[in-house]
Amino acid sequence: MTGDGTTPAAPPPSDTPTSTPGRVQAVYFTLLIGNTLAASFIWGINTLFLLDAGLTNLEAFAANSFFSIGMVVFEVPTGVIADTLGRRVSYLLGTVTLAVTTVLYYLLWVWHSPFWAWALVSVLLGLGFTFFSGAVEAWLVDALTATGYRGSLEQVFGRGVSVAGVAMLVGSTLGGVVAQATDLGVPFLMRAGVLVLMFVIAALLMRDLGFTPAGRSNPIAATRLVLAASVKYGLGRPGVRYMMLASAFTTGVGFYVFYALQPYLLELWGDEGAYSIAGLAAGIVAGSQIIGGLVAPWLRRRFRKRTTSIILSISVSAGILVVLGVNRSFWVALGLLVLWALIDAAAGPVRQAYLNDMIPSAQRATVLSFDSLIGSSGAAVIQPVLGRSADVWGYPFSLALSGVLQALAVPFLWFSRRSGEAADVATTADTAPEVDGDVAPDEAPGSSAG
């Protein structure tokens, strides 16, 4: 029996591209590289792109907010798709949706379209990302379990953060340089091209291991069971619930800070047309992620409980944002940015491992989508509020306010710690909770029984 009460799938044949833990990780890292490279082409210039299209700061961050609203609306439905039709299907749908909507974003910039058009396409961009959120992470954990992996999840997730950091370093820096050499629209076309390539790669390499999509034969019944069990093991489990509620503050602040740093650093630099500086800023965050991902397993070993490192990282990160708000030096801002990104990258894999160790396999993608949904809900509210504060009082004030808002996550993290979950002190990848009698093992969507 597996940790979620289902019968494990038979080992994949030796010629399957992902038949060993090493091959599973190789495919996972390949998907991360492609996804991050495509996305990061525009990360260094996205706010500048929106402002260049004629939007105000409020409208630019409101457009980002509509992206978050799209993720809120579609998170659970696409999570159910991943848990019923398969994580591979979900990933492939995501690449197609994002490629098309990215081209639409480019066309809106060309046409200097009204705000309502940006809001609509931003919602569809959110749809594209929801096909990825939860599905890829769930695919990885189940495939590692099916192929006999017994190491720590922090190590794999940490390496993933580092690999994504390399891709982000290349993509964001290249996107800024290309934008300055050509125009702000070209990186978006580059992004669409890479997404098409990732569709082909995933179609060839990605297979659902340790998980059989049960919804293809009875999608309505499978959807009902997945949703019921996902609410139970998500919002119904205190350790998971409070960790997810904390993400409403951390995700919203993280999105805003990353994009606000572009015009903020250009303002400190003194040249609003130096797009390569904006790209370099994103590249510095990427470099910090590379180091932070490698530090994650070390950080896990420093504390007996995972929640200790998570709480400390969020608290210190909030303090750094407050200091950024009162700083007026470009070089000091870069140093603080490196520290902020390093702390976030080191703690991220610990949080991922903690959550995954509390979620049964059959509901993993949907519960992780719930987590993303709550984070996106917070982002949908926080980003326009902080964007408006930047319009009225400037970027420094908005960054200091970001730190205050992020600190509000700490009480929720403390409640998660107080729940006493076994996952808080776990060190391996096989501690998912047992599924009880409410969902029989042979009825659970995604089970491999028989």
Side-chain angles (χ1 to χ4, degrees), residues 355-380:
L355 270 181
N356 274 279
D357 274 347
M358 292 188 287
I359 305 171
S361 172
Q363 295 81 36
R364 196 183 304 280
T366 307
V367 175
L368 291 175
S369 290
F370 266 117
D371 176 46
S372 184
L373 181 153
I374 293 175
S376 297
S377 299

Side-chain angles (χ1 to χ4, degrees), residues 390-439:
D391 275 334
V392 177
W393 297 293
Y395 286 110
F397 178 88
S398 71
L399 290 173
L401 181 59
S402 297
V404 174
L405 291 175
Q406 180 162 300
L408 296 178
V410 174
F412 294 99
L413 297 172
W414 178 255
F415 287 137
S416 181
R417 177 188 177 88
R418 289 288 301 273
S419 67
E421 295 283 354
D424 206 2
V425 294
T427 57
T428 61
D430 55 359
T431 58
E434 294 282 338
V435 172
D436 62 24
D438 290 350
V439 182

Side-chain angles (χ1 to χ4, degrees), residues 307-328:
T307 50
T308 301
S309 58
I310 298 171
I311 291 172
L312 285 175
S313 67
I314 296 301
S315 301
V316 174
S317 177
I320 291 173
L321 292 177
V322 173
V323 175
L324 268 174
V326 300
N327 169 67
R328 294 296 180 270

